[in-house]
Amino acid sequence: SAGADLWIRNLAIGGNYGYYLKFNSYHPMKTYWTGGVRYYVNSWIGLQSKVYFHEAQADYIGFGLVFKR
């Protein structure tokens, strides 16, 4: 997969596009992509929201905490 983040101060807007080498599914899915935002509240903890897509269909949304060293 390949992707990039656009940083604006504490906010990161990112995307990623990838190809499955092996994916066991009933549907013929070969590619996926993700998009999301991440906001760092301070220098070591942030909030994240991410959408996961297979081809053109959104499968699920993930929310979470991000920690960095």
Side-chain angles (χ1 to χ4, degrees):
S1 68
D5 286 339
L6 172 66
W7 282 89
I8 303 168
R9 293 188 177 246
N10 292 344
L11 179 69
I13 302 168
N16 193 8
Y17 182 80
Y19 182 81
Y20 287 115
L21 298 176
K22 178 165 173 39
F23 184 67
N24 192 10
S25 175
Y26 293 112
H27 306 288
M29 291 184 263
K30 300 284 185 205
T31 61
Y32 67 92
W33 61 283
T34 64
V37 294
R38 188 177 326 128
Y39 180 76
Y40 281 96
V41 179
N42 57 28
S43 63
W44 61 276
I45 190 168
L47 304 170
Q48 175 175 299
S49 173
K50 202 172 210 184
V51 180
Y52 298 87
F53 295 92
H54 284 102
E55 294 179 357
Q57 180 181 356
D59 285 337
Y60 56 94
I61 299 174
F63 297 100
L65 292 173
V66 179
F67 299 98
K68 72 178 181 179
R69 296 177 114 189

